[in-house]
Amino acid sequence: MTKLGIIGAMQVEVETLVSQLENKTVSQKAGSSFYEGTLVGLPVVVVQCGVGKVNAALCVQILCDCFEVTHIVNTGVAGSLCADLDIGDLVVSQDAMYHDFDCHVINENYSVGQVPGMDVVAFPADDALVGYAFAAGELENPGHTKIGRVASGDQFVCQKSQKEQIVRITGALCTEMEGAGIAQTAYRNNVPYVIIRAISDKADDSAEMDYPTFETIAAHRCAKVTSSLARQLKEALDVN
Ligand code: ADE
């Protein structure tokens, strides 16, 4: 049975989804509330994981082990790394990688971002979920959704120099603090995933001002797109 795990770091990123659940039940694990129910008729589990890669990874493992989700979507806000991506625009992950993982000093074959022992530097998202997410983004905000790389690290990026370095290392469209942790955990569990992010700031010196102003509107927009993705997944399942 298809069951979609929906994960966001902060309350503002998941609250509208939790409020839309039907037949809702809640259980606590590792300090997070896992809300089970149906969203637009699709079985889902929604969790607010907390900020950062470790919080994100451990909640994905719980979604896999305890709730047996078959697909994972990460919803939330991000800082733009690309001049064409403005506040409110959407990014759908082609793949995700770390910008703050660096072992190249001990082995020059490791590139910055690469996790030793993993066979990929960037963890690929699921093509079908990417397609649904892009279509959902286009419905919400036509012409303002891009598919590309997401760069993650345990840093709120708010300096031009920091932003430029992340672009150099990763070539990503946006930066945030959970996506690659979710992607790596999904990859290791062989569970298809996608990240959807709405831009809340430009990840430069304007970010400190913009983030609090646009966080809620961007987070709620992304949640709406996530709900629309769930609808598309449900419709595809009903056809097949
Ligand atoms: N999430 C939203 N904006 C961000 C930024 N500038 N850096 C890291 N995470 C973010």
Side-chain angles (χ1 to χ4, degrees), residues 40-117:
V40 297
L42 186 75
V44 301
V45 185
V46 183
V47 60
Q48 178 198 338
C49 64
V51 174
K53 299 179 303 186
V54 172
N55 279 329
L58 77 87
C59 279
V60 171
Q61 195 61 52
I62 291 170
L63 285 171
C64 293
D65 289 346
C66 304
F67 295 95
E68 295 178 331
V69 299
T70 56
H71 300 71
I72 288 171
V73 56
N74 171 217
T75 181
V77 298
S80 173
L81 298 177
C82 161
D84 290 351
L85 273 169
D86 218 332
I87 289 167
D89 290 354
L90 294 155
V91 174
V92 173
S93 63
Q94 186 75 62
D95 57 23
M97 67 177 280
Y98 301 113
H99 66 70
D100 62 351
F101 209 113
D102 187 357
C103 287
H104 86 274
V105 175
I106 52 169
N107 182 336
E108 65 190 22
N109 293 320
Y110 293 138
S111 56
V112 180
Q114 185 172 5
V115 180

Side-chain angles (χ1 to χ4, degrees), residues 25 33 81 104 111 121 138:
T25 59
S33 301
L81 298 177
H104 86 274
S111 56
V121 176
E138 282 294 287

Side-chain angles (χ1 to χ4, degrees), residues 206-227:
S206 64
E208 253 178 289
M209 286 282 280
D210 285 346
Y211 182 82
T213 311
F214 298 110
E215 177 196 34
T216 301
I217 190 168
H220 288 181
R221 165 169 281 178
C222 203
K224 196 169 165 207
V225 174
T226 298
S227 176

Side-chain angles (χ1 to χ4, degrees), residues 74-228:
N74 171 217
T75 181
V77 298
S80 173
L81 298 177
C82 161
D84 290 351
L85 273 169
D86 218 332
I87 289 167
D89 290 354
L90 294 155
V91 174
V92 173
S93 63
Q94 186 75 62
D95 57 23
M97 67 177 280
Y98 301 113
H99 66 70
D100 62 351
F101 209 113
D102 187 357
C103 287
H104 86 274
V105 175
I106 52 169
N107 182 336
E108 65 190 22
N109 293 320
Y110 293 138
S111 56
V112 180
Q114 185 172 5
V115 180
M118 298 301 299
D119 60 352
V120 292
V121 176
F123 306 101
D126 178 70
D127 286 343
L129 289 179
V130 169
Y132 299 139
F134 182 77
E138 282 294 287
L139 277 176
E140 166 66 15
N141 195 5
H144 291 270
T145 304
K146 284 191 190 300
I147 299 174
R149 179 163 291 164
V150 173
S152 311
D154 288 325
Q155 294 163 7
F156 184 83
V157 180
C158 55
Q159 280 171 10
K160 191 162 170 273
S161 56
Q162 200 183 0
K163 171 177 177 169
E164 285 168 355
Q165 191 187 1
I166 294 169
V167 171
R168 254 195 323 276
I169 293 169
T170 66
L173 295 181
C174 71
T175 188
E176 37 76 300
M177 302 179 68
E178 296 81 24
I182 290 166
Q184 183 183 356
T185 313
Y187 184 78
R188 289 191 57 165
N189 285 276
N190 214 13
V191 172
Y193 88 91
V194 71
I195 300 162
I196 313 173
R197 294 277 175 163
I199 299 299
S200 55
D201 58 84
K202 301 280 186 68
D204 59 15
D205 305 77
S206 64
E208 253 178 289
M209 286 282 280
D210 285 346
Y211 182 82
T213 311
F214 298 110
E215 177 196 34
T216 301
I217 190 168
H220 288 181
R221 165 169 281 178
C222 203
K224 196 169 165 207
V225 174
T226 298
S227 176
S228 167

